[in-house]
Structure formats: structure tokens, C-alpha cells
Amino acid sequence: QQKVQQSPESLSVPEGGMASLNCTSSDRNFQYFWWYRQHSGEGPKALMSIFSDGDKKEGRFTAHLNKASLHVSLHIRDSQPSDSALYFCAANYNQGKLIFGQGTKLSIKP
Amino acid sequence: GGIITQTPKFLIGQEGQKLTLKCQQNFNHDTMYWYRQDSGKGLRLIYYSITENDLQKGDLSEGYDASREKKSSFSLTVTSAQKNEMAVFLCASSRQDQDTQYFGPGTRLLVL
């Protein structure tokens, strides 16, 4: 069964610092990786997707994919208190079906 | 832009009860999804639908039924609520499968 493993489970970063989140797929037959963010009491919102090796940057967020190691990471620079949330990695293996990781709880300390 | 509306926001049920959750979207998206989110776990797919009257089972479909009578709405039924069950049910939609999924705010279920 395809699985997505995220680490760490929780992370605390000072305001203005860099937050780094990790995700590994159990199966190399993925098409896309997605990063979603969920604030308390809300549904998840998509941050970005990546399917090519290398970096993809959107504002303060950079995703890095290494297909050979089945690993994707998300880096948030200049972290803000509003970045405190639950972050999910998800992989597209089959059409329309996303497999989500367990999530990383990020706390930004002022 | 668009919005996904889920009703009710909170649902308290009794063991063995049949419970129905509703989802409406005005994105005019073809594909809709139902996920379950438990504390400490990621989202798990219950059912999805790629078009009106279509239903596809996810990994967690046992104990649930779904219905997509029209493009804009997708309902989920818990066929027999389990005692002490507590979870958030999230509805999502996307233009087509593999596109960005947009989520509603969720329905919080508690079974006494």
C-alpha cells in the first residue's frame, strides 16, 4: 500500500527563521507531490505542487523534490506567526486520489 | 473564486444512528471528495466522484455511503455511527482529478 511519511511530527521555529519540513514516498510511481496547510478550525489549503526534480519557489515557500530518493521537502523562510499551522504532504499515485501524510505541526514563536 | 459549504458544522449522534453530511460547491468543479481526519492522523479518502452520478470508493469506504445527485453537491452517510467516534469530515472539489483540491471547513462528528 502506498504511504507518505512526514517528519518531524512537530516543529518550533523563531519568528523570522527558516522552517524545514520533510516527506518521503513509499512508492516511486508518484506523479505529483503537494503541500497543503491547515489552520485550526479550517480546511486544508493548497500551497504548491511539484513534479520535477529540483526546486520550485513561490514567495517565501520553496519545495525541493529528489525523485531518486523519493523525498520532497518544504522550506519556509522568514517564518511569520501566521505560518503556524498543520502542514500536509500528499502524493498523487493514481488519477484523482491523493495519499496524505500524517502532518507536521509548525509553531512560530514571536 | 468559489466556496465549499458543509452542513452541519457540528453533528452529535447516538450509537447505531444513520447520519448524513452535506457538501455544496459553486466552483463548477467536476470532481468532489470526502475525507476523514482523525486527531494525529492525516486525511483518509472515503469516497470521490468524477462527475454527476459517479461514485468511486476510497480506502476508508466501509461504513459509509455517498451520493452525487448533481454536479454541485455531494452527500456522505455514516450508515451506523460507532460509540465514542470523533472525527472531522472534510469535503473537497477540484476542476478535474489531479488538479488542486479546494476544501470546505469540515463537519465535526461526535458520537455518544
Side-chain angles (χ1 to χ4, degrees):
Chain A
Q1 190 178 5
Q2 293 144 340
K3 287 186 179 179
V4 173
Q5 193 69 34
Q6 284 187 248
S7 65
E9 282 188 20
S10 63
L11 180 63
S12 182
V13 172
E15 185 175 354
M18 173 79 83
S20 295
L21 291 69
N22 299 292
C23 177
T24 304
S25 168
S26 67
D27 188 318
R28 61 181 57 257
N29 294 312
F30 58 84
Q31 294 158 321
Y32 289 82
F33 272 107
W34 290 86
W35 284 100
Y36 280 79
R37 178 166 79 177
Q38 184 180 29
H39 285 109
S40 181
E42 298 178 5
K45 288 181 183 164
L47 289 173
M48 60 198 306
S49 64
I50 185 167
F51 62 90
S52 297
D53 269 327
D55 291 339
K56 182 177 180 181
K57 186 178 177 182
E58 293 194 5
R60 296 184 294 110
F61 300 86
T62 300
H64 177 81
L65 176 60
N66 181 327
K67 287 186 177 182
S69 63
L70 311 182
H71 182 262
V72 65
S73 56
L74 179 70
H75 305 279
I76 308 171
R77 65 171 176 82
D78 189 24
S79 295
Q80 303 297 306
S82 59
D83 294 326
S84 295
L86 193 54
Y87 288 76
F88 289 106
C89 169
N92 253 122
Y93 295 102
N94 300 306
Q95 275 191 332
K97 290 177 67 172
L98 279 182
I99 305 294
F100 282 81
Q102 307 281 64
T104 292
K105 184 176 181 180
L106 176 64
S107 300
I108 307 299
K109 294 192 171 181
Chain B
I3 192 166
I4 293 184
T5 304
Q6 290 189 240
T7 55
K9 194 170 181 178
F10 297 97
L11 184 55
I12 298 176
Q14 301 292 325
E15 185 181 14
Q17 195 175 2
K18 188 174 177 179
L19 303 167
T20 298
L21 292 68
K22 294 188 182 293
C23 176
Q24 296 267 349
Q25 54 98 358
N26 65 359
F27 286 99
N28 198 33
H29 284 165
D30 287 320
T31 308
M32 295 187 74
Y33 311 81
W34 275 107
Y35 290 92
R36 176 180 166 127
Q37 183 175 24
D38 293 277
S39 178
K41 295 187 179 180
L43 282 64
R44 291 181 288 173
L45 183 65
I46 306 172
Y47 270 97
Y48 68 105
S49 167
I50 61 174
T51 189
E52 186 178 326
N53 293 320
D54 173 74
L55 284 178
Q56 311 276 344
K57 289 184 178 181
D59 294 332
L60 203 65
S61 61
E62 190 171 335
Y64 302 95
D65 286 327
S67 175
R68 181 105 183 262
E69 303 96 347
K70 51 183 182 176
K71 189 175 182 178
S72 62
S73 68
F74 195 27
S75 299
L76 180 73
T77 298
V78 180
T79 56
S80 180
Q82 301 298 304
K83 190 173 175 62
N84 298 322
E85 184 174 4
M86 188 166 67
V88 177
F89 291 84
L90 292 161
C91 176
S93 72
S94 63
R95 189 169 55 91
Q96 291 180 348
D97 48 28
Q98 300 198 40
D99 285 333
T100 303
Q101 292 187 21
Y102 294 85
F103 284 82
T107 291
R108 282 146 184 81
L109 171 68
L110 176 61
V111 181
L112 301 176

